[in-house]
Amino acid sequence: MKTRIAASLAGALLLAGLGIAPAAPAAPHIPATVSYCGIVWGSMADSVAGQGTATISNVRTGRHDCFDRMVIDLNGKVKGYDVRYVSAVYTEGQGKHVPLTGAADLRITLKAPAYTSSGTPTYYPSNRLNVRNVSNYSTFKQVAFLGSYEGQSSFGLGVRARLPFRTFVLSDADGGSRMVIDVAHRW
C-alpha cells in the first residue's frame, strides 16, 4: 500500500515539475435515457386563461411518425384554452354525456365560440360525433364536437390510452390562429 501511494505521489510530483496536471479520475459512464422520438411531453392538464373574440372555423387532423395531430382553425387569436384528460366528456350547455371510442378521453375547451356575435354558426360539422375520420390513426380513435355555449367551445378526443400530449398556438399572417394538440403514439 505504501509503495502504491509513494508511486502515485512521485508520479504527481513528476507531472507537476513538467507543468502537467494529473488526469482526473474518469466519471462513470451513465447511459442517457432516450425518450420515444425525443418526446418529453406529459399527460397533465394544459391551461391558459383568457377570453378573446376569435371564432372557430374548422378542425383538421393528421398522422405523423411519432404522434397524431388535431388542429382547430380560428378566425382571430386564441386567448384561452384548457386541455386535459377527464373521466368523461359532456356537451356544452346541455351537459349530456358523450361516450368516446378509446381508453382515454381528452377534453379540449377553447374560450372561443363556434358562432358570430349575431348567432350565425362559424363551425358546424355534419356529424358532431365524428368530426374527422381517424379510423386509421395510431392514437386518435374519435373526434367529437361537444358544442359551443356562452362563448366557449369544446371537443372530445378519444385516444387509445392516456398518452403524452402537447398543446400550442400558431398565429397566421391574416390575423387568424391555430390551436394544435399533438398526442404521442406511446410513452
Side-chain angles (χ1 to χ4, degrees):
M1 180 74 168
K2 287 183 181 179
T3 307
R4 204 176 325 152
I5 293 172
S8 294
L9 183 58
L13 290 172
L14 176 64
L15 291 174
L18 297 173
I20 302 171
H29 175 71
I30 301 171
T33 303
V34 179
S35 61
Y36 170 68
C37 288
I39 291 174
V40 293
W41 320 329
S43 63
M44 299 301 292
D46 185 14
S47 185
V48 172
Q51 184 73 40
T53 58
T55 58
I56 296 173
S57 61
N58 192 26
V59 172
R60 299 174 284 135
T61 58
R63 293 177 288 175
H64 296 266
D65 290 340
C66 302
F67 56 87
D68 290 346
R69 173 171 283 179
M70 178 178 173
V71 178
I72 303 169
D73 296 316
L74 294 105
N75 297 318
K77 302 291 181 198
V78 175
K79 298 287 186 184
Y81 60 84
D82 184 80
V83 181
R84 67 182 61 227
Y85 282 104
V86 293
S87 58
V89 296
Y90 301 89
T91 59
E92 286 288 336
Q94 297 172 329
K96 291 183 180 178
H97 176 249
V98 178
L100 295 176
T101 305
D105 295 350
L106 196 60
R107 185 187 68 214
I108 301 141
T109 303
L110 287 91
K111 300 296 182 181
Y115 50 84
T116 64
S117 58
S118 62
T120 304
T122 58
Y123 176 71
Y124 194 82
S126 58
N127 184 346
R128 293 170 64 112
L129 294 179
N130 289 295
V131 171
R132 306 299 301 171
N133 180 2
V134 293
S135 59
N136 293 321
Y137 284 48
S138 297
T139 299
F140 290 177
K141 298 301 173 193
Q142 182 181 357
V143 181
F145 179 52
L146 304 175
S148 189
Y149 184 71
E150 294 184 351
Q152 172 174 296
S153 300
S154 294
F155 294 86
L157 182 57
V159 295
R160 183 175 47 78
R162 185 178 173 132
L163 294 163
F165 72 91
R166 70 174 173 182
T167 57
F168 57 95
V169 176
L170 298 171
S171 295
D172 296 331
D174 65 359
S177 59
R178 292 168 278 154
M179 173 78 184
V180 180
I181 302 97
D182 292 336
V183 183
H185 292 167
R186 64 182 177 86
W187 278 98

